[in-house]
């Protein structure tokens, strides 16, 4: 039975705790990724259908002001929430929410080229849950491993982390 999208951050937090980490104290990127992969396979209720881009995931990296311009890596799941209000309106759009785990790192020469990769994310993937999504997530992992600064970051210990559920802009 699908879980409510509103509990999605709590579900992800529980998966992190099962691996020995509080959401605000994740110190192992591989364990965080494993929890994220499992989280991305959980069916959620109250979101648009997969064929309507209702449930997607993304990996992002870079330096942003909200992380004090420190190197960061994040794993996010975007949800297009259906809601009941206004569905009859031809201009109706779902509300977009994102469950995001941000991992922040100390400076290190190993990822000095992070800003010069030419892109800062994998792009959203809306592959359906199950075997197709598992393959798409494995491809994201291979993609990250193919860039030395990202691969080095993957093997490093984050100095802090944060798990959020926020309405997307």
């Amino acid at each position: 039975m699908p879980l409510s999208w509103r509990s999605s951050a709590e579900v992800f937090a529980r998966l992190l705790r099962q691996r020995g980490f509080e959401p605000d104290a994740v110190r192992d990127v591989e364990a965080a990724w494993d929890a994220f992969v499992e989280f991305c396979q959980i069916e959620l209720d109250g979101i648009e259908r997969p064929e309507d881009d209702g449930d997607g995931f993304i990996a992002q990296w870079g330096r942003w002001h909200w992380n004090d311009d420190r190197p960061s890596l994040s794993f996010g799941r975007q949800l297009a929430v259906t809601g009941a209000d206004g569905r009859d309106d031809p201009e109706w759009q779902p509300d977009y929410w994102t469950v995001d785990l941000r991992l922040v790192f100390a400076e290190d020469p190993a990822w000095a080229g992070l800003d010069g990769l030419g892109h800062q994310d994998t792009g959203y993937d809306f592959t359906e849950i199950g075997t197709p999504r598992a393959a798409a997530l494995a491809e994201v992992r291979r993609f990250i491993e193919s860039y030395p600064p990202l691969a080095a970051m993957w093997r490093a210990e984050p100095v802090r982390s944060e798990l959020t559920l926020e309405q997307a802009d």
Side-chain angles (χ1 to χ4, degrees):
M1 177 175 196
L3 300 171
S4 169
W5 72 270
R6 293 182 187 278
S7 66
S8 55
E10 290 90 14
V11 170
F12 194 2
R14 180 178 45 83
L15 295 171
L16 288 166
R17 288 183 185 107
Q18 288 173 355
R19 288 160 176 81
F21 297 100
E22 287 299 317
D24 63 351
V26 174
R27 299 296 180 256
D28 183 319
V29 178
E30 191 71 39
W33 177 253
D34 290 346
F36 181 69
V37 167
E38 185 175 347
F39 170 63
C40 283
Q41 292 287 9
I42 295 172
E43 290 188 43
L44 299 173
D45 193 25
I47 59 175
E48 291 290 307
R49 298 180 312 255
E51 61 268 18
D52 295 328
D53 295 343
D55 182 1
F57 62 89
I58 191 170
Q60 299 173 310
W61 52 87
R63 298 169 190 273
W64 299 288
H65 64 67
W66 55 86
N67 291 332
D68 300 322
D69 292 317
R70 296 181 84 171
S72 303
L73 177 63
S74 71
F75 307 133
R77 185 172 178 184
Q78 180 176 283
L79 309 170
V81 176
T82 54
D85 298 338
R87 276 191 81 88
D88 296 333
D89 182 344
E91 302 290 320
W92 180 86
Q93 292 290 315
D95 290 329
Y96 290 93
W97 289 77
T98 303
V99 179
D100 190 48
L101 176 64
R102 295 180 197 120
L103 306 169
V104 180
F105 300 85
E107 293 294 340
D108 190 292
W111 44 80
L114 185 66
D115 299 326
L117 292 179
H119 50 280
Q120 291 187 306
D121 62 58
T122 58
Y124 279 100
D125 188 304
F126 296 95
T127 304
E128 67 182 282
I129 289 176
T131 303
R133 182 165 280 193
L137 286 158
E139 183 59 34
V140 166
R141 177 69 176 92
R142 282 189 294 277
F143 177 84
I144 289 172
E145 194 62 40
S146 72
Y147 288 93
L150 295 175
M153 189 177 280
W154 194 277
R155 291 184 292 278
E157 183 177 314
V159 294
R160 72 174 193 262
S161 60
E162 179 182 23
L163 179 63
T164 60
L165 171 63
E166 298 176 332
Q167 191 164 10
D169 295 330

